[in-house]
Amino acid sequence: VQLQASGGGLVQTGGSLRLSCESSGFNLGNYYVGWFRQVPGKEREEVACNGNADGSSVFYADSVKGRSTISRDMAKNTVHLEINNLKPEDTAVYYCAAGLIFKVVAQNGYGMGCSRGMERWGQGTLVTVSS
């Protein structure tokens, strides 16, 4: 039972990246899913959340709003995060996470993010944006 994040790498400012998070051992359809990022010495930051497959409960942090998309591939049990117009301040280790929908909604509100209640975490993938 695990989440496997991938897709990180070195990108130039203004470029794009698509991160993927594949779940094994459990069905993401029952879970709220989210992406977080962390820079050494700083607190983990919530980036984007998705509460269901139709996209009606997505949440984006202000730092990425308008240039990122979180989506699900239900057939592959995978969540993607695409970030466009990357900036040096997007450099971080990106983590995917999942939490039971009812728990995340109870702790955050519907469509209000997923900073609380996430129970399963991937190992992280490093994104470096060069200036």
Side-chain angles (χ1 to χ4, degrees):
V1 177
Q2 63 177 359
L3 292 169
Q4 182 72 36
S6 62
L10 176 63
V11 187
Q12 289 187 335
T13 295
S16 299
L17 266 183
R18 189 188 194 210
L19 305 180
S20 298
C21 177
E22 184 177 3
S23 133
S24 60
F26 67 102
N27 185 354
L28 280 178
N30 300 321
Y31 286 78
Y32 227 100
V33 293
W35 286 92
F36 298 76
R37 65 187 182 188
Q38 190 167 24
V39 175
K42 294 189 176 181
E43 290 189 1
R44 186 175 62 206
E45 177 188 14
E46 177 185 30
V47 178
C49 306
N50 181 311
N52 53 40
D54 67 9
S56 62
S57 65
V58 293
F59 168 90
Y60 297 101
D62 288 343
S63 57
V64 299
K65 194 175 295 183
R67 58 188 183 95
S68 63
T69 302
I70 184 172
S71 61
R72 297 180 185 240
D73 184 336
M74 301 302 288
K76 296 182 179 180
N77 215 18
T78 299
V79 180
H80 301 289
L81 177 68
E82 182 171 346
I83 307 179
N84 303 308
N85 190 23
L86 282 160
K87 307 173 182 180
E89 51 264 42
D90 292 320
T91 295
V93 177
Y94 284 71
Y95 299 89
C96 60
L100 288 169
I101 292 175
F102 78 93
K103 287 188 178 180
V104 175
V105 171
Q107 297 186 46
N108 299 276
Y110 188 74
M112 301 300 289
C114 55
S115 60
R116 295 176 293 276
M118 306 303 268
E119 301 169 327
R120 303 180 190 272
W121 291 84
Q123 84 289 1
T125 183
L126 176 62
V127 172
T128 303
V129 183
S130 63
S131 56

